[in-house]
Amino acid sequence: MFSEKMLALGKESSVIREIFEYGRKRKAEIGADRVFDFSLGNPSIPAPPSVEREIRRLLDTREPTLLHGYTSAAGAPEAREAVARAYSAASGLEIPSSLVYMACGAAAALTSVLGALICPGDEVILLSPFFPEYRVFAEKAGAAVVVVPTAAETFLPDVGAIGRALTDRTKAILLNSPNNPTGVIYPEGVLRELAALLEEKKRETGRPVFLISDEPYRKLAYGKTVPFPAALYPDTVVCSSFSKSLSLPGERIGYVIVSPACAASRDLFAAVCGAARSLGYVCAPSLMQYVIASCADGSADLAVYAENRRLLTEGLSRIGYSFAPPDGAFYLFLKAPDGDAAAFCERAKKKELLLVPGNSFGSPDYVRIAYCVKKETILGALPAFEALFAEYETEKRHD
Amino acid sequence: MFSEKMLALGKESSVIREIFEYGRKRKAEIGADRVFDFSLGNPSIPAPPSVEREIRRLLDTREPTLLHGYTSAAGAPEAREAVARAYSAASGLEIPSSLVYMACGAAAALTSVLGALICPGDEVILLSPFFPEYRVFAEKAGAAVVVVPTAAETFLPDVGAIGRALTDRTKAILLNSPNNPTGVIYPEGVLRELAALLEEKKRETGRPVFLISDEPYRKLAYGKTVPFPAALYPDTVVCSSFSKSLSLPGERIGYVIVSPACAASRDLFAAVCGAARSLGYVCAPSLMQYVIASCADGSADLAVYAENRRLLTEGLSRIGYSFAPPDGAFYLFLKAPDGDAAAFCERAKKKELLLVPGNSFGSPDYVRIAYCVKKETILGALPAFEALFAEYETEKRHD
């Protein structure tokens, strides 16, 4: 009677959401401070004071019909210029504001870019483990999804494997660095190798393979720099948001940047606008666009995540756990001691530790720990992690 | 290299937007008060003070991580409850909040509902003249669009013609009352006739034809009541927004209500959530959701539009123009004296009157006057309308 596919998508209980709901119930039962909930990637630090100040200033000074009125479809000029300026300053690239599209969050950016790029029969390469919505978005846009695993332990793109997966129908590769769920940052060397591979393929086929660089975690890096794919490969489209850098995930404010080095960049930009229009995106929320006009290069107090990461990595290393290089985002990707993440998560639950098994990301031997939590949650959780590890050690000895 | 269809959509210069841009240029040349711009349906009255008050109160009292954090995909419970309450009170229906989905504006509501309903091969009936984005949204969702003209002069649904257009593949009919571009309100009698037709069809085929009722102009009615399709036909899905009632078009805040009388309403609701998810809608903007929680039944000072309408209809009648019954929204649909709307608009332009020819809506003999403007614009424009009418009269005499 209606779309079975959409019904399935709507009913599909997200594993992450289920664990989160269990956590809510459990906290009500035994007290919030006794449940260690690492399930959700929901920023735990407040938006910077500049955001609130700017909202109040806009309410004080701007006519409501302008403040809350339609902006042009691609965005308010001052917001597009602020994003272009901030991204140019950070990357060293020269991004014209005419190639910036203000989007209703990074998810809208991704569906609009995929909608613009995908033609019938096209393939999109996803590097596993990956954020599960990538598959939903790519398939909805009409692409066939080709999954290429990243390298074991490092979780870096396996350029050889990507080369073997390329076909004449490959339209795009979706990159996400700093990565959800692994927390890994892709170094420049790997991106250069990937760029060389794609340049070669373009010479062979005469058509580009686009890099779609999903960068919402760009500002969450702990010591390492986060290279810009757009600086290393021409046919790159950037998708990002202020959900994490400004702690505004609910406000749905983000952007697309079509690299000026992109093949037919102006036409591609127009196609992104056309795709967004067809999906029902009229403009990004106007008040938040004007906030971004003056807060684009601001950030929340990300030092909180750095401290969380330090406590967690030091504690888990000391206990004996292994994990992916914890360089960015607010995720730690932990190896299940016996390689069975689902079982590990079930046992962790008995100790009030709520973790997400990597299965839904495509890594059944790892669990994701979202450390955008209170410091106390980490300190309280470490003894439970230790006890759990000891159980596995004991069992190993008895095997 | 990428989607030609999306490129065309992105490049397509909207006729309305072009006239608006011309107006901007012209105002700079000869002064804003000498250009009479009736091109855009952009609310000219400010949001009610309650909206600003509520934003400030939320900033004062709510933790930023909650205020700006993700809500659940269907919306914050308090927003869904407020919408359910307000719609139930207005319609007499009992709408449970569990069937309310908070959307990023009515456009997102429409693309999500169409995405949920349409299966390959399905047809959607649009009643011309219609808002041009309807075709874009329906085709993007995979539907074949079947256009059924409304009755001449009254612009009411022609139930006989709809009956002849129904096939076994008709999935939905899109209704918009009060109507853009005609300003017409569909009376209960016509909706009852339509409901009877669709009930009969359902008995014949065993599957429902859904009514999608797009109601963003519901509160803009001048004397006449606006019947609720959901009260007259079970298989109805309501799409709406606060863009017009609260003058918040840029904030992208609206909703879907699946009527509880709908076939498989809970599954349909889940499918709407699934479709929205696949289009990249994560949640409606959070701050605005919380504003709606206490302002859902508020409204901007709509009396301004009523006064504009009075001045315009009285003035144009006196001159001798004919127009569609001007019962709602903020549009007057004026008949071009010789039936050539495009030519009429060109001649109007020479008198600094900016109007939109009905061609892009499917009515080449009418022009749309958006009277969400300052009163002075109407008063200043009437002499120009009069001079233009006199020209046509003179030419008629000389023919």
Side-chain angles (χ1 to χ4, degrees):
Chain A
M1 197 157 64
F2 34 80
S3 169
E4 287 298 324
K5 227 167 157 176
M6 294 303 119
L7 177 59
L9 270 183
K11 280 197 154 171
E12 191 183 80
S13 51
S14 143
V15 178
I16 301 175
R17 193 56 68 174
E18 252 178 40
I19 298 168
F20 174 74
E21 292 300 338
Y22 169 83
R24 282 229 298 224
K25 230 184 60 195
R26 193 68 185 139
K27 283 171 196 171
E29 284 167 16
I30 64 167
D33 56 331
R34 296 183 55 201
V35 180
F36 310 110
D37 184 355
F38 297 96
S39 62
L40 270 195
N42 204 356
S44 57
I45 55 179
S50 56
V51 166
E52 187 186 322
R53 252 196 329 264
E54 187 57 16
I55 295 175
R56 290 185 194 273
R57 196 189 66 80
L58 288 163
L59 290 173
D60 288 341
T61 58
R62 197 160 303 193
E63 241 200 274
T65 51
L66 294 177
L67 187 57
H68 305 302
Y70 293 116
T71 70
S72 74
E78 53 268 58
R80 300 171 72 191
E81 281 156 21
V83 168
R85 225 169 20 239
Y87 203 88
S88 298
S91 65
L93 295 163
E94 278 190 47
I95 306 294
S97 65
S98 59
L99 293 178
V100 175
Y101 169 87
M102 297 302 297
C104 291
L110 286 167
T111 54
S112 301
V113 168
L114 287 162
L117 286 176
I118 301 305
C119 304
D122 279 351
E123 295 166 2
V124 167
I125 291 179
L126 300 180
L127 308 181
S128 68
F130 58 84
F131 181 48
E133 297 305 89
Y134 287 169
R135 179 188 286 278
V136 176
F137 297 161
E139 288 180 348
K140 178 70 181 179
V145 167
V146 176
V147 175
V148 177
T150 52
E153 311 285 332
T154 66
F155 294 102
L156 292 179
D158 178 343
V159 178
I162 294 172
R164 291 187 292 279
L166 287 177
T167 74
D168 289 354
R169 300 304 308 163
T170 309
K171 178 55 70 67
I173 302 176
L174 214 160
L175 292 187
N176 175 219
S177 165
N179 186 268
N180 175 12
T182 65
V184 165
I185 292 172
Y186 297 167
E188 189 171 322
V190 173
L191 294 176
R192 281 197 188 281
E193 240 185 282
L194 178 60
L197 171 74
L198 299 183
E199 297 279 15
E200 192 192 308
K201 186 75 187 173
K202 187 176 177 176
R203 275 192 296 275
E204 183 191 313
T205 64
R207 38 169 262 165
V209 174
F210 291 88
L211 279 187
I212 302 174
S213 181
D214 183 29
E215 310 184 351
Y217 298 101
R218 170 167 289 288
K219 289 203 176 172
L220 282 65
Y222 311 101
K224 288 209 179 161
T225 56
V226 184
F228 288 84
L232 303 169
Y233 181 68
D235 299 311
T236 301
V237 183
V238 176
C239 296
S240 194
S241 83
F242 298 95
S243 296
K244 274 75 185 187
S245 63
L246 291 175
S247 282
L248 297 172
E251 302 298 357
R252 312 314 303 142
I253 184 75
Y255 57 86
V256 174
I257 294 174
V258 174
S259 166
C262 233
S265 59
R266 288 166 61 123
D267 275 0
L268 178 51
F269 184 80
V272 170
C273 294
R277 177 184 165 193
S278 75
L279 300 175
Y281 292 103
V282 175
C283 64
S286 52
L287 172 62
M288 287 299 148
Q289 285 197 56
Y290 297 121
V291 167
I292 292 310
S294 60
C295 300
D297 47 12
S299 80
D301 181 13
L302 306 176
V304 174
Y305 298 141
E307 172 66 0
N308 283 357
R309 170 185 168 277
R310 190 187 63 77
L311 288 170
L312 198 56
T313 53
E314 286 179 9
L316 294 174
S317 291
R318 188 183 45 74
I319 295 168
Y321 283 104
S322 333
F323 41 77
D327 296 323
F330 40 44
Y331 302 112
L332 195 81
F333 212 46
L334 189 82
K335 195 166 192 176
D338 67 349
D340 183 345
F344 181 79
C345 289
E346 278 308 309
R347 290 171 69 161
K349 214 161 144 184
K350 295 201 182 102
K351 302 199 181 319
E352 314 301 348
L353 285 176
L354 305 186
L355 315 173
V356 177
N359 308 55
S360 49
F361 302 100
S363 289
D365 44 349
Y366 277 77
V367 304
R368 189 186 81 169
I369 304 176
Y371 59 80
C372 43
V373 296
K374 289 192 182 136
K375 185 175 163 179
E376 294 69 41
T377 305
I378 294 173
L379 294 174
L382 284 172
F385 274 111
E386 185 150 22
L388 191 55
F389 194 80
E391 282 180 21
Y392 276 91
E393 289 293 299
T394 310
E395 284 161 27
K396 233 197 308 192
R397 276 199 297 276
H398 290 157
D399 273 354
Chain B
M1 197 157 64
F2 34 81
S3 169
E4 288 298 322
K5 227 167 158 177
M6 294 305 121
L7 177 59
L9 270 184
K11 280 197 153 172
E12 191 182 79
S13 51
S14 143
V15 179
I16 300 175
R17 193 56 67 172
E18 251 176 41
I19 298 168
F20 174 74
E21 292 299 339
Y22 168 85
R24 281 229 299 222
K25 231 183 61 193
R26 193 69 184 137
K27 284 172 197 170
E29 284 166 16
I30 65 167
D33 56 331
R34 298 182 54 200
V35 180
F36 311 111
D37 185 355
F38 298 96
S39 61
L40 270 194
N42 204 357
S44 58
I45 55 178
S50 57
V51 165
E52 187 186 321
R53 253 198 326 266
E54 186 58 15
I55 295 175
R56 290 184 194 274
R57 195 188 67 78
L58 287 163
L59 289 173
D60 288 341
T61 57
R62 197 160 304 191
E63 240 201 277
T65 50
L66 294 177
L67 187 56
H68 306 300
Y70 293 116
T71 70
S72 74
E78 52 268 57
R80 301 171 71 190
E81 281 156 21
V83 168
R85 224 167 24 237
Y87 203 89
S88 298
S91 65
L93 295 164
E94 278 189 48
I95 306 293
S97 65
S98 59
L99 293 178
V100 175
Y101 169 87
M102 297 303 296
C104 291
L110 286 166
T111 54
S112 301
V113 169
L114 286 163
L117 286 176
I118 302 305
C119 304
D122 278 352
E123 294 165 4
V124 166
I125 291 179
L126 300 180
L127 308 181
S128 68
F130 57 82
F131 180 46
E133 298 305 271
Y134 288 170
R135 180 188 286 278
V136 175
F137 298 161
E139 288 181 348
K140 178 71 182 179
V145 167
V146 176
V147 175
V148 177
T150 52
E153 310 284 332
T154 65
F155 296 101
L156 293 179
D158 177 343
V159 178
I162 294 172
R164 289 187 294 279
L166 288 177
T167 73
D168 289 355
R169 300 303 310 162
T170 308
K171 178 56 70 67
I173 302 176
L174 212 159
L175 293 186
N176 174 219
S177 166
N179 187 267
N180 176 12
T182 66
V184 165
I185 291 172
Y186 296 167
E188 187 170 325
V190 173
L191 293 175
R192 281 197 188 282
E193 240 185 280
L194 178 59
L197 170 74
L198 299 183
E199 298 278 16
E200 193 192 307
K201 186 75 187 174
K202 185 175 179 176
R203 276 190 297 275
E204 185 192 313
T205 64
R207 38 169 260 164
V209 174
F210 291 88
L211 279 187
I212 302 174
S213 181
D214 183 29
E215 310 183 351
Y217 300 101
R218 169 167 290 288
K219 289 203 176 170
L220 282 65
Y222 311 102
K224 289 210 178 159
T225 56
V226 183
F228 288 83
L232 303 169
Y233 182 68
D235 299 310
T236 300
V237 183
V238 176
C239 296
S240 195
S241 83
F242 298 95
S243 296
K244 275 76 187 185
S245 62
L246 291 175
S247 281
L248 298 173
E251 302 299 355
R252 313 313 303 142
I253 183 76
Y255 57 86
V256 174
I257 294 174
V258 175
S259 166
C262 232
S265 60
R266 288 167 63 123
D267 274 0
L268 178 52
F269 184 81
V272 170
C273 294
R277 177 183 165 195
S278 75
L279 301 175
Y281 292 103
V282 175
C283 64
S286 52
L287 172 62
M288 287 299 147
Q289 285 197 57
Y290 297 120
V291 167
I292 293 309
S294 60
C295 300
D297 48 11
S299 79
D301 181 13
L302 306 176
V304 173
Y305 298 141
E307 173 65 1
N308 283 357
R309 169 185 169 279
R310 191 188 61 77
L311 289 170
L312 197 57
T313 54
E314 286 180 8
L316 294 173
S317 292
R318 189 185 42 76
I319 294 168
Y321 283 104
S322 333
F323 39 79
D327 296 321
F330 41 44
Y331 303 111
L332 195 81
F333 213 45
L334 190 81
K335 196 167 192 175
D338 67 350
D340 183 344
F344 181 78
C345 288
E346 277 309 308
R347 290 171 69 160
K349 215 161 145 184
K350 295 202 181 101
K351 301 198 181 321
E352 315 300 348
L353 286 175
L354 306 186
L355 315 172
V356 177
N359 308 55
S360 49
F361 303 100
S363 288
D365 45 349
Y366 277 76
V367 304
R368 189 187 80 169
I369 303 175
Y371 59 80
C372 42
V373 296
K374 289 192 179 134
K375 184 175 165 180
E376 293 71 39
T377 304
I378 294 172
L379 295 174
L382 284 172
F385 274 112
E386 185 150 22
L388 190 56
F389 193 80
E391 281 180 20
Y392 276 91
E393 289 294 298
T394 310
E395 284 160 28
K396 231 191 320 189
R397 276 197 298 275
H398 291 157
D399 275 351

